[in-house]
Amino acid sequence: MKADYLKVIFFLVLLIILQSCTTSLRISVLQPADINMPHHFEKLAVVHRHKPSQENILTSVLDGILSGGVGLLTDKEAGKSCLNGLKDALLKTPRYIITEPAGLDLRGTGTGVFAAPLSWEQIEKICIENGAEALIVLEVFDTKSVLSFTTGTRKVTNKEGVSTDVIEQVANLRMMVTAGWRIYDYQNKRIVDEFRGESYLDFGGRGTTQQLATAALINGRDAINKAAFNAGSVYGYRISPQWVWVHREYYTKGSPSLKIAGRMARTQDWDAAREIWLKLSRSQDKKIARRSTHNMAIGYEVAGQLEEALEWSKKSYTQFNNKKSLRHSHQIRARISDNERLKQQMQ
């Protein structure tokens, strides 16, 4: 039992030492969309149709009551927030130009069920008037909220500096959004995508009683609008390339030259850092050579030269058994594959 305990301590210490030898790095990467959109799409018109038609109002109200929804009026406002989330995501991509037609009053079921598709006459009129090649419609929008409680503790220190554990209630509010979308290609008269997805956001509040914990929660109206905005963003990621942050690690310790190269990398002088790492990768000291070879792969990835980055990662793993480089080689292969998809999507 004591030997097992000592092993755990040893590995924890080793992990801390290894982590202290590296520096974390964030790289901005353009990630492909989940689906390929037609190449002739440039300008997209986005509209909502989640409000119930006259014959669907009663059904919509009953559906909201039975499902624990936040209410018809709140759903209307949140539906607009959902559309804003989509527009925000699409505007961040270099792929599309977005327009939102004014004065439209398109109606659907007002529930989590799709209505019949819009007529091609309606779609063509909207697209031509707005100079758009396609129409994206929020056809389905439904919300649900669930409130639950757990018991937790927190430390409170009195004037004398004595700490005690105080029991408190934790309110957990989960806002769930169901959003359904259609993308109409009016020129070819086909529905490019029909997608219905669920997303949620969690919010928390704490207090000595359940009432105080609930009072500490975000305003319900703000909570559902944030969840709706998030649902729109999620769909934006499905249909458009997006910039995301990825994390990498490179070595900055092991020799004076590695430290100097590390400082160069921190100041974005990657070319100079790579020159040092290249020399160090031929070092007779295997530890320095292993770390510098791995760093060469990171340096080439930052420069956007992914094939070179992959070769250096493979070299670092095969010659020095560097597990970090094995993981990095998988990441680079995924990026190379993603770039092939991006070329198709960005044409």
Side-chain angles (χ1 to χ4, degrees):
M1 194 73 176
K2 184 177 179 180
D4 291 338
Y5 177 76
L6 290 175
K7 284 181 181 178
V8 171
I9 296 296
F10 172 77
F11 282 118
L12 286 174
V13 171
L14 181 61
L15 180 62
I16 293 170
I17 292 173
L18 289 174
Q19 287 181 335
S20 67
C21 295
T22 61
T23 293
S24 181
L25 169 71
R26 290 202 313 167
I27 305 174
S28 183
V29 171
L30 187 59
Q31 182 175 283
D34 292 341
I35 63 171
N36 293 338
M37 298 277 272
H39 296 316
H40 68 279
F41 284 6
E42 279 188 28
K43 190 174 183 181
L44 306 176
V46 295
V47 299
H48 59 80
R49 189 195 177 193
H50 65 279
K51 297 178 184 177
S53 60
Q54 193 65 37
E55 60 268 26
N56 286 319
I57 287 179
L58 180 59
T59 303
S60 177
V61 172
L62 289 174
D63 180 78
I65 293 171
L66 294 173
S67 67
V70 296
L72 186 59
L73 294 177
T74 308
D75 266 1
K76 288 181 180 180
E77 180 182 338
K80 293 179 181 178
S81 295
C82 187
L83 205 64
N84 287 337
L86 171 67
K87 290 190 296 181
D88 181 73
L90 294 179
L91 288 171
K92 290 176 181 175
T93 180
R95 177 70 172 83
Y96 303 114
I97 299 171
I98 310 302
T99 182
E100 184 176 3
L104 291 178
D105 187 20
L106 303 175
R107 298 293 177 125
T109 64
T111 68
V113 179
F114 277 98
L118 294 170
S119 70
W120 290 110
E121 289 77 13
Q122 283 179 293
I123 295 160
E124 183 172 0
K125 182 175 185 296
I126 294 170
C127 287
I128 290 176
E129 288 178 352
N130 292 274
E133 291 82 31
L135 181 67
I136 304 179
V137 185
L138 175 59
E139 304 253 5
V140 168
F141 187 79
D142 199 17
T143 60
K144 184 179 179 181
S145 62
V146 176
L147 178 63
S148 61
F149 296 92
T150 56
T151 301
T153 60
R154 65 184 176 92
K155 287 191 177 295
V156 176
T157 304
N158 60 23
K159 294 179 180 179
E160 287 73 32
V162 179
S163 296
T164 55
D165 289 332
V166 175
I167 297 175
E168 62 179 3
Q169 297 296 312
V170 181
N172 305 287
L173 176 64
R174 170 162 288 191
M175 287 292 187
M176 292 168 283
V177 174
T178 299
W181 308 84
R182 284 192 181 114
I183 302 178
Y184 298 90
D185 178 357
Y186 96 90
Q187 293 178 357
N188 296 302
K189 291 186 170 49
R190 70 186 185 99
I191 296 175
V192 172
D193 189 38
E194 181 174 294
F195 179 81
R196 182 181 183 274
E198 296 180 351
S199 62
Y200 63 87
L201 282 183
D202 291 324
F203 304 91
R206 307 172 78 95
T208 53
T209 65
Q210 289 189 355
Q211 291 79 6
L212 290 174
T214 303
L217 284 167
I218 185 175
N219 176 275
R221 181 175 180 177
D222 292 337
I224 193 59
N225 280 327
K226 287 180 181 293
F229 188 94
N230 176 68
S233 299
V234 168
Y235 188 65
Y237 274 70
R238 173 178 168 80
I239 64 174
S240 64
Q242 296 287 329
W243 290 101
V244 297
W245 290 105
V246 298
H247 294 267
R248 302 289 187 259
E249 286 186 350
Y250 62 97
Y251 295 96
T252 54
K253 293 182 181 180
S255 76
S257 294
L258 269 175
K259 290 181 181 179
I260 292 171
R263 290 196 292 268
M264 289 174 173
R266 289 192 190 98
T267 58
Q268 303 302 308
D269 193 354
W270 289 95
D271 290 339
R274 279 208 312 272
E275 286 183 19
I276 295 175
W277 291 330
L278 179 59
K279 293 177 183 177
L280 295 178
S281 69
R282 307 182 185 119
S283 173
Q284 295 301 311
D285 186 323
K286 288 188 177 181
K287 182 181 74 173
I288 294 175
R290 175 174 59 86
R291 293 182 177 184
S292 300
T293 304
H294 172 84
N295 285 3
M296 285 294 291
I298 300 296
Y300 273 116
E301 183 182 12
V302 171
Q305 297 172 253
L306 300 184
E307 295 292 347
E308 290 82 354
L310 179 59
E311 289 304 313
W312 281 98
S313 278
K314 288 162 57 178
K315 182 178 180 181
S316 180
Y317 175 64
T318 56
Q319 292 189 10
F320 303 105
N321 195 29
N322 191 333
K323 299 299 192 297
K324 287 182 183 292
S325 297
L326 176 61
R327 183 170 64 250
H328 187 232
S329 69
H330 295 327
Q331 294 167 334
I332 293 297
R333 283 194 176 91
R335 284 199 60 192
I336 291 172
S337 176
D338 284 347
N339 277 359
E340 290 302 314
R341 292 177 56 206
L342 276 169
K343 288 177 184 177
Q344 299 175 16
Q345 295 178 3
M346 298 298 288
Q347 288 179 352

